[in-house]
Amino acid sequence: MKICFCRVDNRLLHGQVTNAWTSKYKIKHIFVVDDELYKDDIARRVLMLASPVGVNTGVCSIDQMMGILQQEEVRQNDAKAAILLKTVEDARRLFRKTGKVTDVLVLGGISCGIGRRKVCERLFLSDDEKEAVKDIAGRHNIRVEHQILPGDPPVDVVRCLENNG
């Protein structure tokens, strides 16, 4: 299975993903990777209502995703897949367990809030999230970009951090 899209967005599975991103990459499988959501049967069922028609969608924990990616039949499958994560820290935990499974991590909807500062247009990160981005980029050689929709130009988040702190 080729992980051709990996995104952090606190909304996880929503219209931008189910329509724009799934179409752009011709996604056949979506893995929503979130330990808390995996344990919450009701929230998981509600989220699955947003699953796009014709796309195999599932919710799993970070440890389960690691196991899925290690399966020989999954590694040899040519189908295109997406991984959706709620937080930058979840992405860092996933990559620490699985290694580099994608070349690019896309940061989507991460809104402003207490302790978060603007890094670039429409992207706000806390100090811990900034460190996680640097770790993902440095340790795993993964480009971290901010992009809301496929038609938007991708913004290099590490470069923004270098320029804006």
Side-chain angles (χ1 to χ4, degrees), residues 3 6-8 12 31-39 44 58-71 83-99 101 105 132 136 140:
I3 305 298
C6 187
R7 179 177 174 95
V8 172
L12 292 170
F31 297 97
V32 178
V33 181
D34 187 271
D35 290 345
E36 289 179 26
L37 182 63
Y38 174 72
K39 295 174 189 174
R44 191 174 61 248
V59 176
C60 59
S61 69
I62 289 174
D63 286 339
Q64 285 176 316
M65 189 74 234
M66 180 182 68
I68 290 167
L69 292 170
Q70 291 174 345
Q71 294 174 14
I83 295 175
L84 305 177
L85 301 137
K86 190 182 292 184
T87 69
V88 177
E89 183 55 40
D90 284 348
R92 175 163 56 179
R93 287 180 43 229
L94 177 68
F95 296 136
R96 281 187 174 171
K97 289 184 179 228
T98 63
V101 297
L105 173 64
I136 290 166
H140 303 290

Side-chain angles (χ1 to χ4, degrees), residues 103-119:
D103 292 327
V104 179
L105 173 64
V106 177
L107 304 185
I110 301 176
S111 58
C112 62
I114 296 173
R116 287 190 171 146
R117 285 184 233 123
K118 187 174 182 176
V119 174

Side-chain angles (χ1 to χ4, degrees), residues 2 5 16 41 49 119 136 140 144 146 155-156:
K2 176 162 174 41
F5 182 64
Q16 291 170 352
D41 189 51
L49 294 173
V119 174
I136 290 166
H140 303 290
V144 181
H146 172 58
V155 176
D156 184 328

